[in-house]
Amino acid sequence: MSVEFETAITDKDMYRFNLYHAYHGFQGICATLVGVWVMIMAIVTFGKVEIMYTMLYTVFGIVFFVYVPGSLYLRSKQQIRSSKALQQALRYRIDDAGVHVSQGEETADLEWKQIYKMVSTKNQLLIYSNRVNAYVIPREAIGQQYETVVGLAINHLESYRLKLNPFHV
C-alpha cells in the first residue's frame, strides 16, 4: 500500500499549523483561560471600580485574544516568504516503510518508528518528527487517499501517537 502526492505550503497552511501548535499546548490553553478570566473581570467590575480598571481589563483581554493570532499570522507570512524550501512543492510518498519526502534532488526518509505523532485537523495532516517540527500537509493535497494514509498510520504507529479525528475523514 502506497500513497503519493505533491503539495506546496501556503502562508494560510503555515498559519493554521502555527495556530494549532500554539493553542493545543499548555501555554495556549492557559493564555485562553487568562483571556477569558480578564474579560469576565472587565464585565463584573464595570461600574463597581474606576473606569480605568475596567478599560485595563478589556485591553488585556483584547491582547490575549487578538495579539497572539495576529503575531502568528505575520510570522507565518514571514516564514513562507523567507524560505525558498517552503515556497517550492514537496513530493510525498507514504508507504509501509514510512514517509518519504523529496524536493528536487533532496530527499528525506522518516521511518514509522521515527514519527513522534500524527495529527489530523479539519484542513491538515501533521506528521511530527519531534515535539515541535512537523510536515504540514494540506488535506486537499491528499484528497481521496486520506483513508489509505490513516490506515497505514494505524498499522504502524502506537495509538498514543495518533490524534486522527474520525470526523475529519
Side-chain angles (χ1 to χ4, degrees):
M1 209 168 11
S2 176
V3 173
E4 291 189 38
F5 55 91
E6 189 171 298
T7 186
I9 302 299
T10 66
D11 52 348
K12 187 176 183 180
D13 297 322
M14 186 61 72
Y15 178 60
R16 286 178 176 153
F17 168 70
N18 285 333
L19 273 179
Y20 175 84
H21 195 70
Y23 284 105
H24 281 81
F26 180 74
Q27 263 184 318
I29 293 168
C30 285
T32 302
L33 292 174
V34 168
V36 168
W37 179 77
V38 169
M39 293 305 281
I40 290 171
M41 291 304 295
I43 294 166
V44 169
T45 61
F46 183 75
K48 297 178 183 172
V49 296
E50 289 182 39
I51 192 72
M52 190 61 150
Y53 290 111
T54 302
M55 287 175 48
L56 206 59
Y57 285 136
T58 304
V59 167
F60 282 133
I62 290 170
V63 166
F64 275 99
F65 289 125
V66 175
Y67 174 76
V68 173
S71 67
L72 289 175
Y73 177 76
L74 294 174
R75 181 168 31 143
S76 299
K77 287 184 105 34
Q78 180 62 30
Q79 282 177 303
I80 296 296
R81 236 184 284 129
S82 65
S83 173
K84 295 231 186 281
L86 291 175
Q87 293 172 4
Q88 299 172 2
L90 293 170
R91 178 134 189 87
Y92 289 89
R93 187 178 83 244
I94 302 173
D95 57 24
D96 287 318
V99 178
H100 314 282
V101 184
S102 61
Q103 185 179 57
E105 298 297 316
E106 301 294 321
T107 62
D109 293 322
L110 189 63
E111 296 177 19
W112 288 108
K113 66 183 178 184
Q114 295 172 305
I115 294 176
Y116 181 75
K117 69 179 174 181
M118 189 179 284
V119 176
S120 71
T121 68
K122 179 181 170 191
N123 298 301
Q124 298 176 324
L125 179 67
L126 308 172
I127 303 173
Y128 283 83
S129 57
N130 58 42
R131 289 185 52 204
V132 178
N133 300 318
Y135 289 107
V136 178
I137 304 171
R139 290 283 299 275
E140 61 201 24
I142 303 170
Q144 299 296 327
Q145 302 177 93
Y146 178 74
E147 290 182 25
T148 305
V149 172
V150 168
L152 285 164
I154 289 171
N155 288 338
H156 294 285
L157 294 174
E158 295 87 355
S159 61
Y160 71 89
R161 292 207 255 163
L162 294 171
K163 292 187 180 179
L164 303 174
N165 191 329
F167 300 110
H168 297 155
V169 175

